[in-house]
Coordinates of all heavy atoms in Angstrom, one line a residue:
M1 N 20.8 10.8 5.2 CA 19.8 11.8 4.9 C 18.5 11.4 5.8 O 18.1 10.3 5.8 CB 19.4 11.8 3.4 CG 18.3 12.8 3.1 SD 17.9 12.8 1.3 CE 19.2 13.9 0.8
S2 N 17.9 12.4 6.4 CA 16.7 12.1 7.2 C 15.6 12.9 6.6 O 15.8 14.0 6.0 CB 17.0 12.4 8.7 OG 17.2 13.8 8.8
Y3 N 14.4 12.4 6.9 CA 13.2 13.1 6.3 C 12.2 13.4 7.5 O 12.1 12.6 8.4 CB 12.5 12.2 5.3 CG 13.3 11.9 4.1 CD1 14.0 10.7 4.0 CD2 13.3 12.8 3.0 CE1 14.8 10.4 2.9 CE2 14.1 12.5 1.9 CZ 14.8 11.3 1.9 OH 15.5 11.0 0.7
N4 N 11.6 14.5 7.4 CA 10.6 14.9 8.4 C 9.2 14.5 7.7 O 8.8 15.2 6.8 CB 10.6 16.4 8.7 CG 9.6 16.8 9.7 OD1 8.5 16.3 9.7 ND2 9.9 17.7 10.6
V5 N 8.6 13.4 8.1 CA 7.4 12.9 7.5 C 6.3 13.9 7.6 O 5.6 14.1 6.6 CB 7.0 11.6 8.2 CG1 5.7 11.1 7.6 CG2 8.1 10.5 7.9
D6 N 6.1 14.6 8.7 CA 5.1 15.6 8.8 C 5.3 16.7 7.8 O 4.3 17.2 7.2 CB 5.1 16.2 10.3 CG 4.6 15.2 11.3 OD1 3.7 14.3 10.9 OD2 5.1 15.2 12.4
E7 N 6.5 17.2 7.6 CA 6.8 18.2 6.7 C 6.4 17.8 5.3 O 5.8 18.5 4.5 CB 8.2 18.7 6.8 CG 8.6 19.8 5.9 CD 10.0 20.2 6.1 OE1 10.5 20.3 7.2 OE2 10.7 20.5 5.0
I8 N 6.8 16.6 4.9 CA 6.5 16.1 3.6 C 5.0 16.0 3.4 O 4.5 16.4 2.4 CB 7.2 14.7 3.4 CG1 8.7 14.9 3.3 CG2 6.7 14.0 2.1 CD1 9.5 13.6 3.4
Y9 N 4.3 15.4 4.4 CA 2.9 15.2 4.3 C 2.2 16.6 4.2 O 1.2 16.7 3.4 CB 2.4 14.5 5.5 CG 0.9 14.3 5.5 CD1 0.3 13.3 4.7 CD2 0.0 15.0 6.3 CE1 -1.1 13.1 4.7 CE2 -1.3 14.8 6.3 CZ -1.9 13.9 5.5 OH -3.2 13.7 5.5
N10 N 2.6 17.6 4.9 CA 2.0 18.9 4.9 C 2.2 19.6 3.6 O 1.5 20.6 3.2 CB 2.5 19.8 6.1 CG 1.9 19.3 7.4 OD1 0.9 18.7 7.4 ND2 2.7 19.5 8.4
N11 N 3.2 19.2 2.8 CA 3.5 19.8 1.5 C 2.8 19.2 0.3 O 3.0 19.6 -0.8 CB 5.0 19.9 1.3 CG 5.7 20.9 2.1 OD1 5.2 22.0 2.4 ND2 6.9 20.6 2.6
I12 N 2.0 18.2 0.6 CA 1.2 17.5 -0.5 C 0.1 18.5 -0.8 O -0.7 18.9 0.0 CB 0.7 16.1 -0.1 CG1 1.8 15.2 0.2 CG2 -0.3 15.6 -1.1 CD1 1.4 13.8 0.7
E13 N 0.0 18.8 -2.1 CA -1.1 19.7 -2.6 C -2.3 18.8 -2.9 O -2.2 17.8 -3.5 CB -0.7 20.5 -3.8 CG 0.4 21.5 -3.5 CD 0.8 22.3 -4.7 OE1 0.0 22.4 -5.6 OE2 1.9 22.9 -4.6
G14 N -3.5 19.3 -2.5 CA -4.7 18.6 -2.8 C -4.9 17.4 -1.9 O -4.3 17.2 -0.9
T15 N -5.8 16.5 -2.4 CA -6.0 15.2 -1.7 C -4.9 14.3 -1.8 O -4.5 14.0 -3.0 CB -7.3 14.6 -2.2 OG1 -8.4 15.5 -2.0 CG2 -7.6 13.3 -1.4
P16 N -4.3 13.8 -0.7 CA -3.2 12.8 -0.9 C -3.7 11.6 -1.6 O -4.8 11.1 -1.3 CB -2.8 12.5 0.6 CG -3.3 13.7 1.3 CD -4.5 14.2 0.7
R17 N -2.9 11.0 -2.5 CA -3.2 9.8 -3.2 C -2.4 8.7 -2.6 O -1.2 8.8 -2.5 CB -2.9 10.0 -4.7 CG -3.9 11.0 -5.4 CD -3.6 11.1 -6.9 NE -2.2 11.5 -7.1 CZ -1.6 12.7 -7.0 NH1 -2.3 13.7 -6.5 NH2 -0.3 12.9 -7.3
A18 N -3.1 7.6 -2.3 CA -2.5 6.5 -1.6 C -2.7 5.2 -2.4 O -3.6 5.0 -3.1 CB -3.0 6.3 -0.2
V19 N -1.8 4.3 -2.2 CA -1.9 2.9 -2.7 C -1.8 2.0 -1.5 O -1.2 2.3 -0.5 CB -0.9 2.5 -3.7 CG1 -1.0 3.3 -5.0 CG2 0.5 2.6 -3.2
I20 N -2.5 0.8 -1.6 CA -2.5 -0.1 -0.5 C -1.7 -1.4 -1.0 O -1.9 -1.8 -2.1 CB -3.9 -0.5 -0.1 CG1 -4.6 0.7 0.5 CG2 -4.0 -1.8 0.7 CD1 -6.1 0.4 0.8
Y21 N -0.8 -1.9 -0.1 CA -0.1 -3.1 -0.4 C -0.5 -4.1 0.7 O -0.1 -3.9 1.9 CB 1.4 -2.9 -0.5 CG 2.2 -4.1 -0.8 CD1 2.1 -4.7 -2.1 CD2 2.9 -4.8 0.2 CE1 2.8 -5.8 -2.4 CE2 3.6 -6.0 -0.1 CZ 3.5 -6.5 -1.4 OH 4.2 -7.6 -1.7
A22 N -1.2 -5.1 0.4 CA -1.7 -6.1 1.3 C -1.0 -7.5 0.9 O -1.1 -7.9 -0.2 CB -3.2 -6.3 1.3
R23 N -0.4 -8.1 1.9 CA 0.3 -9.4 1.6 C 0.3 -10.3 2.8 O 0.3 -9.8 3.9 CB 1.8 -9.1 1.2 CG 2.5 -10.3 0.8 CD 4.0 -10.1 0.7 NE 4.6 -9.8 2.0 CZ 5.0 -10.7 2.9 NH1 4.7 -11.9 2.7 NH2 5.5 -10.3 4.0
C24 N 0.1 -11.6 2.5 CA 0.3 -12.6 3.6 C 1.2 -13.6 3.0 O 1.3 -13.8 1.8 CB -1.0 -13.1 4.1 SG -2.0 -14.0 2.8
S25 N 1.8 -14.4 3.9 CA 3.0 -15.2 3.5 C 2.6 -16.6 3.0 O 3.5 -17.3 2.5 CB 4.0 -15.3 4.6 OG 3.4 -15.8 5.7
T26 N 1.4 -17.0 3.2 CA 1.0 -18.4 2.8 C -0.3 -18.4 2.0 O -1.0 -17.5 2.0 CB 0.9 -19.3 4.0 OG1 -0.3 -19.0 4.7 CG2 2.1 -19.3 4.9
Q27 N -0.5 -19.6 1.4 CA -1.7 -19.8 0.6 C -2.8 -20.4 1.5 O -3.9 -20.7 1.0 CB -1.5 -20.7 -0.6 CG -0.5 -20.1 -1.6 CD -1.2 -19.2 -2.6 OE1 -2.4 -19.2 -2.7 NE2 -0.5 -18.4 -3.3
K28 N -2.6 -20.7 2.8 CA -3.5 -21.3 3.6 C -4.8 -20.5 3.7 O -4.8 -19.3 3.7 CB -3.0 -21.5 5.0 CG -1.8 -22.5 5.1 CD -1.3 -22.6 6.5 CE -0.1 -23.6 6.6 NZ 0.4 -23.6 7.9
E29 N -6.0 -21.2 3.8 CA -7.2 -20.5 3.8 C -7.3 -19.4 4.9 O -7.9 -18.3 4.7 CB -8.4 -21.5 4.0 CG -9.7 -20.8 3.8 CD -10.9 -21.9 3.7 OE1 -10.6 -23.0 3.4 OE2 -12.0 -21.5 4.0
V30 N -6.8 -19.7 6.1 CA -6.8 -18.7 7.2 C -6.1 -17.4 6.7 O -6.6 -16.3 7.0 CB -6.1 -19.3 8.4 CG1 -5.9 -18.2 9.5 CG2 -6.9 -20.5 9.0
Q31 N -5.0 -17.6 6.0 CA -4.2 -16.4 5.6 C -5.0 -15.7 4.4 O -4.9 -14.5 4.3 CB -2.8 -16.8 5.1 CG -1.9 -17.2 6.2 CD -1.5 -16.0 7.1 OE1 -1.5 -14.9 6.6 NE2 -1.3 -16.3 8.4
L32 N -5.6 -16.5 3.6 CA -6.4 -15.9 2.5 C -7.5 -14.9 3.1 O -7.7 -13.9 2.5 CB -7.0 -16.9 1.6 CG -6.0 -17.8 0.8 CD1 -6.7 -18.9 0.0 CD2 -5.2 -16.9 -0.1
N33 N -8.1 -15.4 4.1 CA -9.1 -14.5 4.8 C -8.4 -13.3 5.4 O -9.0 -12.2 5.5 CB -9.9 -15.3 5.8 CG -10.8 -16.3 5.2 OD1 -11.2 -16.2 4.0 ND2 -11.1 -17.4 5.9
A34 N -7.2 -13.5 5.9 CA -6.5 -12.4 6.6 C -6.2 -11.3 5.6 O -6.2 -10.1 6.0 CB -5.2 -13.0 7.2
I35 N -5.9 -11.6 4.4 CA -5.5 -10.6 3.4 C -6.7 -9.7 3.1 O -6.6 -8.5 2.9 CB -4.9 -11.2 2.1 CG1 -4.1 -10.1 1.4 CG2 -5.9 -11.8 1.2 CD1 -3.2 -10.6 0.3
E36 N -7.9 -10.3 3.1 CA -9.2 -9.6 2.9 C -9.4 -8.6 4.1 O -9.8 -7.5 3.9 CB -10.4 -10.5 2.6 CG -10.2 -11.3 1.4 CD -10.0 -10.5 0.1 OE1 -10.6 -9.5 -0.1 OE2 -9.2 -11.0 -0.7
T37 N -9.2 -9.2 5.3 CA -9.4 -8.3 6.5 C -8.4 -7.2 6.5 O -8.7 -6.0 6.8 CB -9.2 -9.2 7.7 OG1 -10.1 -10.2 7.7 CG2 -9.3 -8.4 9.0
Q38 N -7.1 -7.5 6.1 CA -6.1 -6.5 6.0 C -6.5 -5.4 5.0 O -6.3 -4.2 5.3 CB -4.8 -7.2 5.6 CG -3.6 -6.4 5.7 CD -2.3 -7.2 5.2 OE1 -1.6 -6.7 4.4 NE2 -2.1 -8.3 5.7
E39 N -7.0 -5.8 3.9 CA -7.4 -4.8 2.9 C -8.5 -3.9 3.4 O -8.4 -2.7 3.3 CB -7.8 -5.5 1.6 CG -8.3 -4.6 0.5 CD -8.8 -5.3 -0.7 OE1 -8.9 -6.5 -0.7 OE2 -9.2 -4.6 -1.7
K40 N -9.5 -4.5 4.1 CA -10.6 -3.7 4.6 C -10.1 -2.7 5.7 O -10.5 -1.5 5.7 CB -11.6 -4.6 5.2 CG -12.5 -5.3 4.2 CD -13.5 -6.3 4.9 CE -14.2 -7.1 3.9 NZ -15.1 -8.1 4.5
E41 N -9.2 -3.1 6.5 CA -8.6 -2.2 7.6 C -7.9 -1.1 6.9 O -8.0 0.1 7.4 CB -7.7 -3.0 8.5 CG -8.4 -4.0 9.4 CD -7.5 -4.9 10.2 OE1 -6.3 -4.8 10.0 OE2 -8.0 -5.7 11.0
L42 N -7.1 -1.4 5.9 CA -6.3 -0.3 5.3 C -7.1 0.6 4.5 O -6.9 1.9 4.5 CB -5.2 -1.0 4.4 CG -4.2 -1.8 5.1 CD1 -3.2 -2.5 4.1 CD2 -3.4 -1.0 6.1
I43 N -8.2 0.1 3.9 CA -9.2 1.0 3.2 C -9.8 2.0 4.2 O -9.9 3.2 4.0 CB -10.2 0.2 2.4 CG1 -9.6 -0.4 1.2 CG2 -11.4 1.1 2.0 CD1 -10.5 -1.4 0.5
E44 N -10.2 1.4 5.3 CA -10.8 2.2 6.4 C -9.9 3.3 6.9 O -10.3 4.5 7.1 CB -11.3 1.4 7.5 CG -12.1 2.1 8.6 CD -13.3 2.8 8.1 OE1 -14.0 2.3 7.2 OE2 -13.6 3.9 8.6
E45 N -8.6 2.9 7.1 CA -7.6 3.9 7.5 C -7.5 5.1 6.5 O -7.4 6.2 6.9 CB -6.2 3.3 7.7 CG -5.2 4.2 8.2 CD -3.9 3.5 8.5 OE1 -3.8 2.3 8.6 OE2 -2.9 4.2 8.5
C46 N -7.5 4.7 5.2 CA -7.4 5.8 4.2 C -8.6 6.7 4.2 O -8.5 7.9 4.0 CB -7.2 5.1 2.8 SG -5.6 4.4 2.5
K47 N -9.8 6.1 4.4 CA -11.0 6.9 4.4 C -11.0 7.8 5.6 O -11.4 9.0 5.5 CB -12.2 5.9 4.6 CG -12.6 5.2 3.3 CD -13.8 4.4 3.5 CE -14.2 3.6 2.3 NZ -15.4 2.8 2.4
Q48 N -10.5 7.3 6.8 CA -10.4 8.2 8.0 C -9.5 9.4 7.8 O -9.8 10.5 8.2 CB -10.0 7.4 9.2 CG -11.0 6.4 9.7 CD -10.5 5.5 10.8 OE1 -9.4 5.7 11.3 NE2 -11.4 4.6 11.3
K49 N -8.4 9.1 7.0 CA -7.5 10.2 6.8 C -7.8 11.0 5.5 O -7.0 11.9 5.2 CB -6.1 9.6 6.7 CG -5.6 9.0 8.0 CD -4.2 8.4 8.0 CE -3.9 7.9 9.4 NZ -2.5 7.5 9.5
K50 N -8.9 10.6 4.9 CA -9.3 11.3 3.7 C -8.3 11.3 2.5 O -8.1 12.2 1.8 CB -9.7 12.8 4.0 CG -10.9 12.9 5.0 CD -11.3 14.3 5.2 CE -12.4 14.5 6.1 NZ -13.1 13.5 6.8
W51 N -7.7 10.1 2.4 CA -6.7 9.9 1.3 C -7.5 9.2 0.2 O -8.3 8.3 0.4 CB -5.6 8.9 1.7 CG -4.7 9.5 2.8 CD1 -4.6 10.9 3.2 CD2 -3.8 8.8 3.6 NE1 -3.7 11.0 4.2 CE2 -3.2 9.8 4.5 CE3 -3.5 7.5 3.8 CZ2 -2.2 9.4 5.4 CZ3 -2.5 7.1 4.7 CH2 -1.9 8.1 5.5
E52 N -7.2 9.6 -1.0 CA -7.8 8.9 -2.2 C -7.0 7.6 -2.5 O -5.8 7.7 -2.6 CB -7.7 9.8 -3.4 CG -8.1 9.2 -4.7 CD -7.9 10.1 -5.9 OE1 -7.3 11.2 -5.8 OE2 -8.2 9.6 -7.0
I53 N -7.7 6.5 -2.6 CA -7.0 5.2 -2.9 C -7.0 5.1 -4.5 O -8.0 5.1 -5.1 CB -7.7 4.0 -2.3 CG1 -7.8 4.2 -0.8 CG2 -7.1 2.7 -2.7 CD1 -8.7 3.2 -0.1
V54 N -5.8 5.0 -5.0 CA -5.6 5.0 -6.5 C -5.3 3.6 -7.0 O -5.4 3.3 -8.2 CB -4.6 6.0 -7.0 CG1 -5.1 7.4 -6.8 CG2 -3.2 5.8 -6.4
D55 N -4.9 2.7 -6.1 CA -4.6 1.3 -6.5 C -4.4 0.4 -5.3 O -4.1 0.9 -4.2 CB -3.3 1.2 -7.3 CG -3.3 0.1 -8.3 OD1 -4.1 -0.8 -8.2 OD2 -2.5 0.2 -9.3
I56 N -4.7 -0.9 -5.4 CA -4.5 -1.8 -4.4 C -3.7 -3.0 -4.9 O -4.0 -3.6 -6.0 CB -5.9 -2.4 -3.8 CG1 -6.6 -1.2 -3.2 CG2 -5.6 -3.5 -2.8 CD1 -8.0 -1.6 -2.7
Y57 N -2.6 -3.4 -4.2 CA -1.8 -4.5 -4.6 C -2.0 -5.6 -3.6 O -1.8 -5.3 -2.4 CB -0.3 -4.0 -4.6 CG 0.0 -2.8 -5.4 CD1 -0.3 -1.5 -4.9 CD2 0.5 -2.9 -6.7 CE1 0.0 -0.4 -5.6 CE2 0.7 -1.7 -7.5 CZ 0.5 -0.5 -6.9 OH 0.7 0.7 -7.6
K58 N -2.3 -6.8 -4.0 CA -2.6 -7.9 -3.1 C -1.8 -9.1 -3.6 O -1.9 -9.4 -4.8 CB -4.0 -8.2 -3.0 CG -4.9 -7.1 -2.5 CD -6.3 -7.6 -2.2 CE -7.1 -8.1 -3.4 NZ -8.5 -8.4 -3.1
E59 N -1.2 -9.8 -2.6 CA -0.6 -11.1 -3.0 C -0.4 -12.0 -1.8 O -0.3 -11.6 -0.7 CB 0.7 -10.9 -3.8 CG 1.8 -10.1 -3.2 CD 2.8 -9.8 -4.2 OE1 2.8 -10.2 -5.3 OE2 3.7 -9.0 -3.8
N60 N -0.4 -13.3 -2.1 CA -0.2 -14.4 -1.1 C 1.1 -15.1 -1.3 O 1.1 -16.3 -1.6 CB -1.4 -15.4 -1.1 CG -2.7 -14.7 -0.9 OD1 -2.8 -13.9 0.0 ND2 -3.7 -15.1 -1.7
I61 N 2.2 -14.4 -1.2 CA 3.5 -14.9 -1.5 C 4.5 -14.5 -0.4 O 4.4 -13.4 0.1 CB 4.0 -14.5 -2.9 CG1 3.1 -14.9 -4.0 CG2 5.5 -15.0 -3.1 CD1 3.5 -14.4 -5.3
S62 N 5.4 -15.4 0.0 CA 6.3 -15.1 1.0 C 7.1 -13.8 0.7 O 7.5 -13.6 -0.4 CB 7.3 -16.2 1.2 OG 8.3 -15.9 2.1
G63 N 7.4 -13.0 1.7 CA 8.2 -11.8 1.6 C 9.7 -12.1 1.5 O 10.5 -11.2 1.3
T64 N 10.1 -13.4 1.5 CA 11.5 -13.7 1.4 C 12.0 -13.7 0.0 O 13.2 -13.9 -0.3 CB 11.8 -15.1 2.0 OG1 11.0 -16.1 1.3 CG2 11.5 -15.1 3.5
T65 N 11.1 -13.5 -1.0 CA 11.5 -13.5 -2.4 C 11.0 -12.2 -3.0 O 10.0 -11.7 -2.6 CB 10.9 -14.7 -3.2 OG1 11.2 -14.5 -4.5 CG2 9.4 -14.8 -3.0
S66 N 11.8 -11.7 -3.9 CA 11.3 -10.4 -4.6 C 10.6 -10.8 -5.9 O 10.1 -9.9 -6.6 CB 12.5 -9.5 -4.9 OG 13.4 -10.2 -5.8
D67 N 10.4 -12.1 -6.1 CA 9.7 -12.6 -7.3 C 8.2 -12.6 -7.0 O 7.6 -13.6 -7.0 CB 10.2 -14.0 -7.7 CG 9.6 -14.4 -9.0 OD1 9.2 -13.6 -9.8 OD2 9.6 -15.7 -9.2
R68 N 7.7 -11.4 -6.8 CA 6.3 -11.2 -6.5 C 5.7 -10.2 -7.5 O 6.1 -9.1 -7.6 CB 6.1 -10.7 -5.1 CG 6.6 -11.6 -4.0 CD 6.6 -11.0 -2.6 NE 7.8 -10.3 -2.4 CZ 8.0 -9.3 -1.5 NH1 7.0 -8.9 -0.7 NH2 9.2 -8.8 -1.3
D69 N 4.7 -10.6 -8.2 CA 4.1 -9.8 -9.3 C 3.6 -8.5 -8.8 O 3.9 -7.4 -9.4 CB 3.0 -10.5 -10.0 CG 3.5 -11.7 -10.8 OD1 4.7 -11.8 -11.1 OD2 2.7 -12.6 -11.2
E70 N 2.8 -8.5 -7.7 CA 2.3 -7.2 -7.2 C 3.3 -6.3 -6.7 O 3.3 -5.1 -6.8 CB 1.2 -7.5 -6.2 CG -0.1 -8.0 -6.8 CD -0.8 -7.0 -7.8 OE1 -1.6 -6.2 -7.3 OE2 -0.5 -7.1 -9.0
Y71 N 4.3 -6.9 -6.0 CA 5.4 -6.1 -5.5 C 6.2 -5.5 -6.6 O 6.6 -4.3 -6.5 CB 6.3 -7.0 -4.6 CG 7.6 -6.3 -4.1 CD1 7.4 -5.4 -3.0 CD2 8.8 -6.6 -4.6 CE1 8.6 -4.8 -2.5 CE2 9.9 -6.0 -4.0 CZ 9.8 -5.1 -3.0 OH 10.9 -4.5 -2.5
Q72 N 6.5 -6.2 -7.6 CA 7.2 -5.7 -8.8 C 6.3 -4.6 -9.5 O 6.9 -3.5 -9.9 CB 7.5 -6.8 -9.8 CG 8.5 -7.8 -9.3 CD 9.9 -7.1 -8.9 OE1 10.3 -6.2 -9.6 NE2 10.5 -7.6 -7.8
R73 N 5.0 -4.7 -9.5 CA 4.2 -3.7 -10.1 C 4.2 -2.4 -9.3 O 4.3 -1.3 -9.8 CB 2.7 -4.2 -10.2 CG 1.8 -3.3 -11.0 CD 0.5 -4.0 -11.3 NE -0.4 -4.2 -10.1 CZ -1.3 -3.4 -9.7 NH1 -1.4 -2.2 -10.3 NH2 -2.0 -3.7 -8.6
L74 N 4.2 -2.6 -7.9 CA 4.3 -1.5 -7.0 C 5.6 -0.7 -7.3 O 5.6 0.5 -7.4 CB 4.2 -1.9 -5.6 CG 4.5 -0.8 -4.5 CD1 3.5 0.3 -4.6 CD2 4.5 -1.5 -3.1
L75 N 6.7 -1.5 -7.4 CA 8.0 -0.8 -7.6 C 8.0 0.0 -9.0 O 8.6 1.1 -9.0 CB 9.1 -1.9 -7.6 CG 9.4 -2.5 -6.3 CD1 10.6 -3.5 -6.4 CD2 9.8 -1.5 -5.2
Q76 N 7.4 -0.6 -10.0 CA 7.3 0.1 -11.3 C 6.5 1.4 -11.1 O 6.8 2.4 -11.7 CB 6.7 -0.8 -12.3 CG 7.6 -1.8 -12.8 CD 7.0 -2.7 -13.9 OE1 5.8 -2.9 -14.0 NE2 7.8 -3.2 -14.8
D77 N 5.3 1.2 -10.4 CA 4.5 2.4 -10.2 C 5.1 3.5 -9.4 O 4.7 4.7 -9.5 CB 3.1 1.9 -9.6 CG 2.3 1.1 -10.6 OD1 2.6 1.1 -11.8 OD2 1.3 0.6 -10.1
I78 N 6.0 3.2 -8.5 CA 6.7 4.2 -7.8 C 7.4 5.2 -8.7 O 7.5 6.4 -8.5 CB 7.7 3.6 -6.8 CG1 7.0 2.9 -5.6 CG2 8.7 4.6 -6.3 CD1 7.9 2.1 -4.7
G79 N 7.8 4.7 -9.9 CA 8.5 5.5 -10.8 C 7.6 6.5 -11.6 O 8.1 7.4 -12.3
E80 N 6.3 6.2 -11.5 CA 5.3 7.1 -12.2 C 5.1 8.3 -11.4 O 4.5 8.3 -10.3 CB 4.0 6.4 -12.4 CG 4.0 5.3 -13.4 CD 2.7 4.7 -13.7 OE1 1.7 5.4 -13.6 OE2 2.6 3.5 -13.9
L81 N 5.6 9.5 -11.8 CA 5.4 10.7 -11.1 C 3.9 11.0 -10.9 O 3.1 10.8 -11.8 CB 6.1 11.9 -11.9 CG 7.6 11.8 -11.9 CD1 8.1 13.0 -12.7 CD2 8.2 11.9 -10.5
D82 N 3.6 11.4 -9.7 CA 2.3 11.9 -9.3 C 1.2 10.8 -9.3 O 0.0 11.1 -9.2 CB 1.8 13.0 -10.2 CG 2.7 14.2 -10.1 OD1 3.2 14.5 -9.0 OD2 2.9 14.9 -11.1
K83 N 1.5 9.5 -9.4 CA 0.5 8.5 -9.3 C 0.0 8.4 -7.9 O -1.2 8.4 -7.6 CB 1.0 7.1 -9.7 CG -0.1 6.0 -9.5 CD 0.2 4.7 -10.1 CE -1.0 3.8 -9.9 NZ -0.8 2.5 -10.6
F84 N 1.0 8.5 -6.9 CA 0.6 8.4 -5.5 C 1.7 9.0 -4.7 O 2.9 9.1 -5.1 CB 0.3 7.0 -5.0 CG 1.4 6.0 -5.2 CD1 2.3 5.8 -4.2 CD2 1.5 5.3 -6.4 CE1 3.4 4.9 -4.4 CE2 2.5 4.3 -6.5 CZ 3.4 4.2 -5.6
Q85 N 1.4 9.4 -3.4 CA 2.4 9.9 -2.5 C 2.6 9.0 -1.3 O 3.6 9.1 -0.6 CB 2.0 11.3 -2.0 CG 2.0 12.4 -3.0 CD 0.5 12.6 -3.5 OE1 -0.4 12.0 -3.1 NE2 0.4 13.6 -4.4
I86 N 1.6 8.1 -1.1 CA 1.6 7.3 0.2 C 1.4 5.8 -0.1 O 0.6 5.5 -0.9 CB 0.5 7.8 1.1 CG1 0.7 9.3 1.4 CG2 0.4 7.0 2.4 CD1 -0.6 9.9 2.0
I87 N 2.2 5.0 0.5 CA 2.0 3.5 0.4 C 1.5 3.1 1.8 O 2.2 3.4 2.8 CB 3.3 2.8 0.1 CG1 3.9 3.3 -1.3 CG2 3.1 1.3 0.1 CD1 5.2 2.7 -1.6
V88 N 0.4 2.5 1.9 CA -0.2 2.1 3.1 C -0.1 0.5 3.2 O -0.5 -0.2 2.4 CB -1.7 2.5 3.2 CG1 -2.3 2.1 4.5 CG2 -1.9 3.9 2.9
I89 N 0.6 0.1 4.3 CA 0.8 -1.3 4.5 C 0.5 -1.6 6.0 O 0.4 -0.8 6.8 CB 2.3 -1.7 4.2 CG1 3.3 -1.0 5.1 CG2 2.6 -1.5 2.8 CD1 4.7 -1.4 5.0
K90 N 0.4 -2.9 6.3 CA 0.2 -3.4 7.7 C 1.4 -4.2 8.0 O 1.8 -5.0 7.3 CB -1.1 -4.2 7.8 CG -1.3 -4.7 9.2 CD -2.6 -5.4 9.3 CE -2.8 -6.0 10.6 NZ -4.0 -5.7 11.3
D91 N 2.0 -3.8 9.2 CA 3.2 -4.6 9.6 C 2.9 -5.8 10.3 O 1.8 -6.1 10.6 CB 4.1 -3.7 10.4 CG 3.5 -3.2 11.7 OD1 2.3 -3.6 12.0 OD2 4.2 -2.5 12.5

């Protein structure tokens, strides 16, 4: 199954609601600063696109494990109808 992202985005009624997921893989101080920078950049992107930010998920845990509290919370929140339509992440 394929999706046309533009078509989906254009069918959102009202102001799109977004969540931000910011993560870095280590607890090193350099990385801790990186997560704050990442969060600021993603917030700015949402502002530019006029998306309402309804939640921010942040963690400093390796992506090689699914045992991440904020990741698990995000997965649970995906199940909540109408909480958000967009997940904003930095690759």
Side-chain angles (χ1 to χ4, degrees):
M1 176 180 279
S2 65
Y3 297 95
N4 181 323
V5 175
D6 291 327
E7 184 178 316
I8 293 169
Y9 180 74
N10 291 332
N11 285 323
I12 296 174
E13 293 182 20
T15 301
R17 291 179 309 281
V19 295
I20 290 173
Y21 181 72
R23 185 189 66 78
C24 63
S25 59
T26 70
Q27 296 275 346
K28 292 180 183 176
E29 187 172 338
V30 170
Q31 289 291 330
L32 294 176
N33 292 335
I35 200 167
E36 297 304 321
T37 301
Q38 191 180 126
E39 179 183 3
K40 288 177 186 176
E41 290 172 0
L42 297 175
I43 288 171
E44 185 58 34
E45 182 176 342
C46 290
K47 285 180 180 179
Q48 288 176 2
K49 294 183 177 187
K50 298 184 180 1
W51 295 343
E52 175 188 359
I53 300 169
V54 296
D55 210 339
I56 298 176
Y57 307 82
K58 296 191 296 187
E59 56 195 352
N60 300 319
I61 299 174
S62 172
T64 60
T65 177
S66 62
D67 187 24
R68 297 175 270 159
D69 292 340
E70 289 293 273
Y71 178 72
Q72 292 301 321
R73 187 169 71 88
L74 172 61
L75 291 179
Q76 286 181 330
D77 288 351
I78 287 172
E80 289 184 34
L81 291 178
D82 297 326
K83 178 171 182 175
F84 59 88
Q85 296 99 0
I86 301 164
I87 301 171
V88 184
I89 61 172
K90 182 175 174 128
D91 61 0

